Amino acid sequence: MRKLVVANYKMNGDKNFFSQVRKNFKSIKVKDTDIVLCPPFVYVPFLKIKNKNVSIGVQDLTNEISKKCTGQISPSMLHEFGVKYAIVGHSERRAIGETDLLIANKVEQATNNGIIPIVCVGEELKNSSLDVINDQVKIALSKAKGEVVFAYEPLWAIGSGEIPAVKQIQKVIKQIKLCAKKIGFDIKVLYGGSVNESNCKELLNSNADGFLLGGVTLNISKFLQLIRSVDE
Ligand code: PGA
């Protein structure tokens, strides 16, 4: 199965950095991997790359429908700029108040406008119950009108250098897929949280369909190395 590798640049980068990203990804050759680059909104036009294996994503999406919404960017505008994916419900956004219901509305907006949402789910602490994940999945899919991708990101693994055991990731990915299947969705599930160029190969044994990456994407050569390993 093709792998999906998603770069979440968060609030990092500048014109110079994204010019370098564009230069490196314009001509990247991969066999079985699709790459999604999610820069901050303003850099989206910089990453319009003519390479069928490289797509543009954003890191959030509004759930507003009304045009009377100062400061927001509509999903249809993003679609017009070639945006194909949107990360939705990242834990850093849940931490500033995004609820499962709001995330479901964002999923609805994305799928209504030809954008594939990448919904982040995961438990907060190392020993937290995993039941919360089923609720996150079910509510996120409750208003979905098309393809949805999930990313299993245990909060405690994000940016910490700590990673769950491969078996544990495998178990949670299976749980997420089963939960989605029961409500009629056949989904891809990525793993995210402290993935780098050295551990990615082993982490693929978890049956993850790819990765959601943060820190490693800021070093372009390590990110390219990671892609080569995943694509092997
Ligand atoms: P990390 O971030 O790879 O730096 O842990 C992942 C994420 O926040 O999606």
Side-chain angles (χ1 to χ4, degrees), residues 8 10 90 92 153 157-159 193-195 212-215:
N8 174 11
K10 309 193 181 187
H90 189 280
E92 286 157 13
E153 294 208 308
I158 296 176
S194 297
V195 182
L212 177 55
L213 308 161

